[in-house]
Structure formats: structure tokens, C-alpha cells
């Protein structure tokens, strides 16, 4: 096993079930007006986001910490299969940032939608664990946001 294969083994997978239709959960992942409401860890804001949601289209976002620190990231949408799958690249805009690939799948299940988030590779377990905390908080925010959107539709 070479070093590249070892790096690919350091991956992050998060699975959540949302009490909402798959079409709604997919929609809030794909449109800036929704992304701005939940993207980022707890208590972060999204002062800027652009998304050219098509295969080959670019996205870029800035998340702002409660202390006012901005963190920019960008990527390209590689695969879009509405309403079941999105594959995109993700790179922090900082020195020595590593390109990662995110795959998000949306499955209809009893009680709603199972979302599976997978991101890889990470250079270290510590980096992966840091992202697990941030993405976990994003998923918490997403659950609250989707619940509000579902109530607004009903």
C-alpha cells in the first residue's frame, strides 16, 4: 500500500435521517438562498455564496465565525443526479489546502430522507476529525432549517 492509498483511507462519512421529503432536502443543498441559512458550523454566518449548480459549474462560499474570522472555500460540481446525488470538489482557500471530494446521497426512507455525506481524502486523522465536528454542526443546522421549510410548505 502506497502513501496515496493511505491518504484516501482517511475519509469522513456522516449519515443523518431528516424528517422531510427527499426533494426538499436536495433543494436546500442546491440553491444559494437555502445554503446561506444552514451552511457552516454552529453560530457561523454565510456572508457570501455563489453556486453555478450544473455539472462543471463552480461554487464559492465564505463562512464567518462568531469572532469575525472569514473562511473561504470553493469547488466544482462534478456530478448531479436530482434528487439523489451530488458530487463536488471542496478546497479551503488557504496555503497548503488539500482538494477533497464530497459525495452527498439522498435516499427516501420511512420517516423522511437519509442523507449520506462522504468527504475524502484528508491528510491526517486530526484534519478529518476537525471537519467531522464542523460538518456535524452543519447537519444539525440543516435539520432545523429543513424542519422549518417543511412546516412552511404544509
Amino acid at each position: 500500500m502506497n502513501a496515496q492509498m493511505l491518504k484516501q483511507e482517511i475519509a469522513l462519512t456522516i449519515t443523518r435521517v431528516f424528517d422531510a421529503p427527499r426533494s426538499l432536502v436536495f433543494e436546500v443543498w442546491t440553491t444559494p438562498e437555502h445554503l446561506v441559512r444552514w451552511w457552516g458550523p454552529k453560530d457561523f454566518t454565510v456572508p457570501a455564496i455563489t453556486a453555478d449548480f450544473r455539472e462543471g459549474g463552480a461554487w464559492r462560499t465564505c463562512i464567518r465565525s462568531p469572532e469575525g474570522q472569514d473562511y473561504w472555500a470553493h469547488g466544482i460540481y462534478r456530478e448531479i443526479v436530482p434528487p439523489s446525488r451530488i458530487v463536488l470538489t471542496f478546497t479551503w482557500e488557504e496555503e497548503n489546502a488539500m482538494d477533497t471530494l464530497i459525495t452527498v446521497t439522498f435516499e427516501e426512507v420511512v420517516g423522511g430522507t437519509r442523507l449520506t455525506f462522504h468527504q475524502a481524502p484528508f491528510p491526517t486523522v486530526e484534519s478529518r476529525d476537525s471537519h467531522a465536528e464542523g460538518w456535524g454542526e452543519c447537519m444539525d443546522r440543516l435539520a432545523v432549517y429543513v424542519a422549518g421549510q417543511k412546516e412552511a410548505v404544509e
Side-chain angles (χ1 to χ4, degrees):
M1 188 175 297
N2 64 34
Q4 182 62 29
M5 290 175 73
L6 285 172
K7 283 183 180 179
Q8 290 179 355
E9 288 187 69
I10 303 174
L12 169 64
T13 301
I14 299 172
T15 301
R16 297 274 179 99
V17 175
F18 296 92
D19 181 18
R22 179 168 67 164
S23 60
L24 175 59
V25 180
F26 185 85
E27 181 183 338
V28 301
W29 263 88
T30 60
T31 52
E33 59 266 31
H34 292 299
L35 288 164
V36 72
R37 306 292 181 155
W38 64 269
W39 191 267
K42 180 181 177 192
D43 298 327
F44 276 60
T45 59
V46 181
I49 191 164
T50 59
D52 180 9
F53 190 68
R54 60 179 175 86
E55 291 184 358
W59 67 269
R60 185 171 190 239
T61 187
C62 174
I63 57 172
R64 182 170 292 151
S65 74
E67 296 76 27
Q69 178 70 42
D70 288 346
Y71 301 91
W72 288 87
H74 67 273
I76 302 291
Y77 293 105
R78 294 280 176 89
E79 181 182 351
I80 299 169
V81 183
S84 60
R85 181 177 166 92
I86 304 169
V87 179
L88 61 140
T89 61
F90 182 103
T91 306
W92 289 112
E93 295 181 6
E94 59 189 29
E95 193 172 332
N96 299 320
M98 188 172 188
D99 292 335
T100 62
L101 188 66
I102 294 174
T103 301
V104 186
T105 59
F106 308 83
E107 301 169 73
E108 291 180 345
V109 295
V110 174
T113 302
R114 177 185 299 121
L115 182 150
T116 302
F117 172 96
H118 181 85
Q119 184 177 17
F122 289 96
T124 64
V125 170
E126 292 78 16
S127 177
R128 182 211 44 212
D129 292 348
S130 172
H131 282 80
E133 182 178 344
W135 282 114
E137 291 178 3
C138 283
M139 298 299 164
D140 294 344
R141 295 178 68 189
L142 176 61
V144 171
Y145 182 70
V146 166
Q149 291 297 301
K150 181 183 170 197
E151 288 178 12
V153 172
E154 292 177 341

